[in-house]
Amino acid sequence: MRLPCPICGERDRREFYYQGAASLLARPEAEASAEEWHAYLHLRDNPAGRTQDLWYHEAGCGAWMVVDRDTLTHEVFGAELVEASDAD
C-alpha cells in the first residue's frame, strides 16, 4: 500500500506508523467524566470499509496526517495534514 504524504508525495506504507482512528483527535476535556475518558481510551470501533485513520510519517518528514482509505480494498482516497483536517 502506498500513502500520499501531503509534504513528501506518495510513499510506501512502511515509512509510516499507524496510530488508529482519526476520531482519537477528539480528546475529552481534562474535566470530563470517568465514563467519557473510559470510552475515549478503551472503546474502539473496528469498521470494515472506508475509514479515516491517523498516520505518522516516521521515516520521512515527521508529519501527522489523516488518511482516508478503505480497509477492505486497501484503496487510498487521499490524505491531509492533521492541522488541516476536520476529523476531530
Side-chain angles (χ1 to χ4, degrees):
M1 183 168 68
R2 297 188 60 82
L3 298 176
C5 176
I7 296 172
C8 303
E10 190 172 287
R11 299 285 196 237
D12 189 86
R13 186 222 41 94
R14 291 173 289 193
E15 289 189 18
F16 298 86
Y17 177 77
Y18 173 77
Q19 186 61 35
S23 61
L24 292 173
L25 295 171
R27 182 182 173 139
E29 296 294 325
E31 311 78 40
S33 69
E35 292 81 18
E36 288 179 81
W37 276 105
H38 169 73
Y40 175 77
L41 293 171
H42 303 291
L43 303 179
R44 300 277 189 265
D45 290 331
N46 189 15
R50 198 161 177 168
T51 64
Q52 288 192 320
D53 302 317
L54 190 58
W55 291 77
Y56 175 64
H57 197 173
E58 184 175 39
C61 62
W64 284 95
M65 59 189 191
V66 174
V67 175
D68 184 14
R69 68 185 185 105
D70 190 305
T71 60
L72 295 174
T73 65
H74 301 293
E75 181 178 359
V76 176
F77 302 102
E80 61 185 351
L81 296 175
V82 167
E83 297 85 18
S85 170
D86 62 0
D88 58 344

